[in-house]
Amino acid sequence: MALHAGVGPPAVEDLVAMVGALRHRGPDEFGLYRDRRVGLGHARLSIIDLATGQQPLCNEDGTKWVVFNGEIFNYVELREELVARGHRFRTRSDTEVVVHAWEAFGSRCFERFNGQFAIALWDAAEETLVLARDRLGVRPLYLCEHGGRLWFASEVKAIFAGDPAIPRALDPVGFAETFTFWTSVAPQGVFLGVSELEPGHVRIVSGRGAEDRAFWTPRYPVGPDAGSPASLDEAVERTRASLEQSVRLRMLRADVPVGSYLSGGLDSSLVAALGRRVKGDRFCTFSLRFEDAEYDETPFQRAVVALIGSDHREVLVRRRDIAEAFPAVVAHAERPLLRTAPAPLFLLSRLVRESGIKVVLTGEGADEMFGGYDLFKEGKVRRFWGRHPSSSLRPRLLERLYPWLGRSPVAQQAIAREFFGRGRERHREPGFAHQTRWQGAAALQRLFAADFRAAARGVDPVARLLADLPPEFARWSSLAQDQYLEVRTLLSGYLLSSQGDRMLMAHSVEGRFPFLDAHVVELANALPASYKLRVLDEKHVLKRVAGGVVPPEVLARPKQPYRAPDAASFVADGAPDWVGEVLGGAGVARAGVFEPAAVERLWRKCRSSAGGGQFSNADNMALVGILSTGLLHEELVRRAPARAAGLTLRTCVDRLEAHQPASGGRSNGGST
């Protein structure tokens, strides 16, 4: 977790403190490795090879050491190939495959991994550190250079715990990105001096310096109708086979029971149904219910349960539950949040862990890979309007998108004017479909304190993002362009992080994402746009795969995005005391991000709206963003992270101690 440059070896106490800060991610076993140049630490969640999968792990002669967070799902096949090449294995873990694959293939090994991972590998003979992160950023990896050392960990709190002298401050540029895209975009982070390794990247650090390169980036067919397979029927069959194999791998490559989340939507229902077929016997599913009927999907969840016969568990979420859990949610998310949606998932992962399950499948990624979001449909309609501004089809297209508009001519005119009419002359520009969302979130920056806003004034988040597009971006279909930007921004930083990894690992649960399997992703990206978004029918090919597998009412239901009560969770009578403390003038001024007078006006407005229970989208995002920022500042900036004491190490290889054997005995990789 630390690499030094001429300042002495990392202290064991610092490594133990870092591991202790991550014990929620891996409470089963702890280990560390140290030599005169590097220190590696690991907190293990035991899922594969429970008996001999301890970490850190080395190769046969103890010259290469690895810590590894995640899973390599094709490790069995890779192991067979490596054994045929003469490599000798001591364990049955997927982690040992990592170190031998590095020996065999060098940095190209990461292209061969079908999995979700953050890897740190130390080549002691070459004095080279290798850091790698999976294609889509399922697993996090943070870096910080301070005091002549490179610190790295799966969470920022571990870096701060490793060296309390590291300055802790919020980054105005990271906040400008968050209050635009809903997340900072790697490598940008929200703490000054702390960056994220980009998804699909490997960084090699040696005496010659640091080299950072992409081993994978999303690619799509060139041209609006290009792609393969050639026929829709073939696409359906190949998608079905690929998804079935993806679910099978994630069910069977585990030495512990695997359950499944079940929202009641198409994606999680399909995954749960396929998982139940693989499991055969007892199979647990887990769902959120909401006291607010607006967010509840219970009837659809129970229809799936009745069809597949799962052992089903539910958690009922009330507004107060969200408010009470929110401080812990922000502490685990380690970034400002503009929605409360992660909070119910935090409560759901607690239920999973209490049920004795360590691994769950989820439907995350299907919308990004198969064109499922309203944003994709809206972009298509808005581009049509841009090309044909006088078309008589405009009202009918709006009604296709939002059937309820036919009952409200006033609402139809308002949406047509404000949403679809605005900026349509820019329909050929990159980011066109996203501009309304980005502009709506960026408008909240008016609440920033003047000096904080000024500190980020030199960086335009949208311009910086669009200046870093792949050379072939302009030749992709409009849908592919929109998908790429959604993957680059919201998927990794928000959905897979704040709502995914962080909420799952808060209770030591691993999420597995069949729609983000390497082969599923490549197939989905290669499909013609019309197979995914057929006129205005989203995820068309996936719906055909799901026919006969999920209940017909789930297949036919309109898409309901996952949401939770936002501002309403914090304005009700009996709201926790921390809400007033964070929103008070002293608390807002202490964090230094928002203008106290502006926060006070917003807070008065939200409380006055509490009786009707209706809040604008802007007010919802603003209040949640201010609350989460205040909590973030208190938890990770104002307070020094607690340093663990008395941590029992299952694996400890300290080459600075004379009694340690050169090979380090039996170890295993996995950096959590």
Side-chain angles (χ1 to χ4, degrees):
M1 290 185 174
L3 173 71
H4 76 88
V7 295
V12 169
E13 310 86 72
D14 294 341
L15 295 172
V16 169
M18 296 179 78
V19 172
L22 297 176
R23 65 189 310 161
H24 56 281
R25 297 183 67 90
D28 296 333
E29 294 174 327
F30 310 105
L32 64 83
Y33 164 88
R34 185 176 74 140
D35 63 23
R36 66 182 187 86
R37 292 280 288 149
V38 75
L40 303 174
H42 183 253
R44 185 184 186 211
L45 182 64
S46 304
I47 293 173
I48 292 176
D49 188 12
L50 309 185
T52 63
Q54 293 76 38
Q55 302 183 28
L57 172 147
C58 65
N59 62 346
E60 297 95 329
D61 62 6
T63 59
K64 295 175 178 62
W65 290 84
V66 66
V67 283
F68 162 51
N69 166 26
E71 309 290 352
I72 308 297
F73 296 115
N74 62 332
Y75 77 98
V76 173
E77 294 77 12
L78 287 170
R79 178 192 173 102
E80 291 174 354
E81 181 180 353
L82 290 163
V83 168
R85 286 171 169 259
H87 291 266
R88 293 182 289 111
F89 286 76
R90 299 190 309 274
T91 77
R92 303 298 301 178
S93 71
D94 57 334
T95 311
E96 194 172 4
V97 166
V98 174
V99 70
H100 290 295
W102 171 262
E103 289 182 302
F105 310 117
S107 62
R108 299 193 67 86
C109 69
F110 304 111
E111 304 167 20
R112 293 170 167 260
F113 295 163
N114 184 1
Q116 48 194 51
F117 53 83
I119 293 169
L121 187 146
W122 171 242
D123 188 327
E126 298 293 330
E127 294 201 331
T128 296
L129 175 70
V130 182
L131 302 171
R133 191 177 180 201
D134 65 73
R135 290 169 170 82
L136 292 163
V138 175
R139 291 290 174 253
L141 183 51
Y142 293 91
L143 307 98
C144 175
E145 294 187 41
H146 175 74
R149 288 193 172 104
L150 171 64
W151 301 84
F152 52 92
S154 292
E155 296 188 12
V156 178
K157 60 176 64 71
I159 292 174
F160 289 162
D163 184 357
I166 293 176
R168 300 187 303 278
L170 301 177
D171 189 326
V173 175
F175 269 69
E177 285 199 350
T178 301
F179 281 78
T180 301
F181 306 127
W182 295 21
T183 176
S184 58
V185 180
Q188 180 65 52
V190 298
F191 297 96
L192 281 171
V194 180
S195 62
E196 273 193 274
L197 186 65
E198 292 183 67
H201 275 238
V202 56
R203 179 171 299 183
I204 300 176
V205 184
S206 67
R208 297 181 296 276
E211 174 195 357
D212 192 319
R213 71 170 183 85
F215 66 84
W216 182 86
T217 54
R219 290 290 181 265
Y220 302 88
V222 171
D225 300 313
S228 61
S231 75
L232 179 57
D233 287 342
E234 182 186 353
V236 170
E237 290 309 310
R238 287 180 57 182
T239 301
R240 176 183 291 113
S242 186
L243 190 56
E244 287 174 344
Q245 174 63 8
S246 173
V247 171
R248 186 177 300 110
L249 275 178
R250 284 154 182 77
M251 289 293 300
L252 299 181
R253 300 278 159 98
D255 296 329
V256 296
V258 178
S260 187
Y261 277 177
L262 179 57
S263 71
L266 172 68
D267 311 329
S268 67
S269 299
L270 179 55
V271 165
L274 295 177
R276 180 69 176 90
R277 290 181 177 181
V278 174
K279 181 65 174 172
D281 53 3
R282 180 172 172 263
F283 181 59
C284 290
T285 51
F286 301 89
S287 292
L288 288 169
R289 297 177 55 210
F290 286 94
E291 187 176 58
D292 293 72
E294 178 183 354
Y295 310 101
D296 192 59
E297 301 179 69
T298 301
F300 299 103
Q301 296 161 359
R302 292 182 175 174
V304 177
V305 170
L307 179 66
I308 69 175
S310 61
D311 180 355
H312 192 58
R313 323 284 174 88
E314 303 170 337
V315 58
L316 177 65
V317 179
R318 304 171 178 84
R319 294 178 182 181
R320 184 175 178 87
D321 297 328
I322 292 173
E324 290 177 346
F326 205 60
V329 167
V330 173
H332 283 285
E334 295 189 329
R335 62 182 69 208
L337 303 172
L338 304 188
R339 296 292 192 191
T340 62
L345 291 167
F346 172 86
L347 300 173
L348 185 61
S349 74
R350 183 172 67 189
L351 172 65
V352 172
R353 188 66 186 194
E354 290 172 348
S355 300
I357 300 294
K358 285 185 176 182
V359 182
V360 289
L361 309 179
T362 90
E364 206 64 77
D367 288 313
E368 289 79 6
M369 298 307 133
F370 291 94
Y373 288 127
D374 284 346
L375 178 143
F376 300 140
K377 294 189 289 186
E378 291 164 355
K380 189 170 187 177
V381 171
R382 292 181 68 223
R383 288 186 177 99
F384 175 85
W385 282 25
R387 293 191 303 269
H388 308 284
S390 60
S391 172
S392 61
L393 295 175
R394 287 165 46 171
R396 294 179 62 189
L397 286 170
L398 271 186
E399 290 175 17
R400 286 283 302 275
L401 275 177
Y402 310 114
W404 54 270
L405 282 176
R407 302 190 299 270
S408 176
V410 174
Q412 185 180 90
Q413 291 174 9
I415 287 182
R417 181 178 61 253
E418 296 299 325
F419 186 73
F420 288 92
R422 185 173 53 190
R424 67 185 181 212
E425 70 281 355
R426 302 171 60 188
H427 65 90
R428 291 186 178 87
E429 297 181 11
F432 173 74
H434 286 78
Q435 287 293 348
T436 50
R437 183 209 287 167
W438 293 346
Q439 290 168 358
L444 302 178
Q445 294 178 38
R446 69 184 184 277
L447 302 172
F448 283 179
D451 56 347
F452 193 83
R453 184 168 56 247
R457 190 164 290 148
V459 176
D460 180 336
V462 172
R464 184 162 74 163
L465 174 71
L466 298 182
D468 188 36
L469 298 175
E472 62 271 32
F473 182 88
R475 300 165 61 203
W476 294 340
S477 70
S478 296
L479 176 62
Q481 293 179 4
D482 296 345
Q483 287 180 277
Y484 173 87
L485 289 171
E486 197 72 353
V487 168
R488 180 85 179 270
T489 56
L490 204 68
L491 179 64
S492 173
Y494 179 70
L495 295 174
L496 294 178
S497 178
S498 298
Q499 283 189 190
D501 172 87
R502 299 312 187 84
M503 297 305 104
L504 288 154
M505 282 295 188
H507 294 112
S508 310
V509 176
E510 178 179 278
R512 294 183 171 183
F513 309 90
F515 287 108
L516 300 182
D517 177 270
H519 300 296
V520 173
V521 169
E522 295 298 342
L523 174 60
N525 287 356
L527 294 177
S530 62
Y531 291 5
K532 293 178 276 192
L533 184 57
R534 196 166 185 83
V535 189
L536 291 178
D537 183 29
E538 77 279 3
K539 290 187 293 198
H540 182 78
V541 69
L542 206 58
K543 289 178 180 177
R544 292 186 54 169
V545 169
V549 180
V550 304
E553 59 266 42
V554 170
L555 193 61
R557 67 177 296 207
K559 181 174 176 56
Q560 178 175 332
Y562 166 64
R563 297 182 300 125
D566 289 311
S569 300
F570 306 106
V571 299
D573 293 336
D577 293 340
W578 69 261
V579 175
E581 295 169 3
V582 169
L583 294 175
V588 174
R590 195 160 52 237
V593 176
F594 298 100
E595 176 58 47
V599 172
E600 173 57 27
R601 288 193 296 271
L602 174 67
W603 184 224
R604 284 200 307 268
K605 179 182 179 182
C606 288
R607 282 181 293 179
S608 68
S609 301
Q614 296 298 315
F615 303 88
S616 71
N617 185 51
D619 289 346
N620 270 320
M621 289 196 298
L623 185 64
V624 175
I626 292 166
L627 287 169
S628 60
T629 296
L631 292 169
L632 186 70
H633 183 270
E634 288 294 311
E635 182 68 24
L636 285 169
V637 175
R638 190 175 179 216
R639 284 192 214 120
R643 286 167 63 90
L647 205 65
T648 301
L649 298 174
R650 170 72 183 270
T651 303
C652 182
V653 179
D654 190 349
R655 289 189 165 171
L656 299 181
E657 297 291 335
H659 66 272
Q660 287 289 344
S663 68
R666 174 174 290 175
S667 306
N668 195 344
S671 150
T672 308

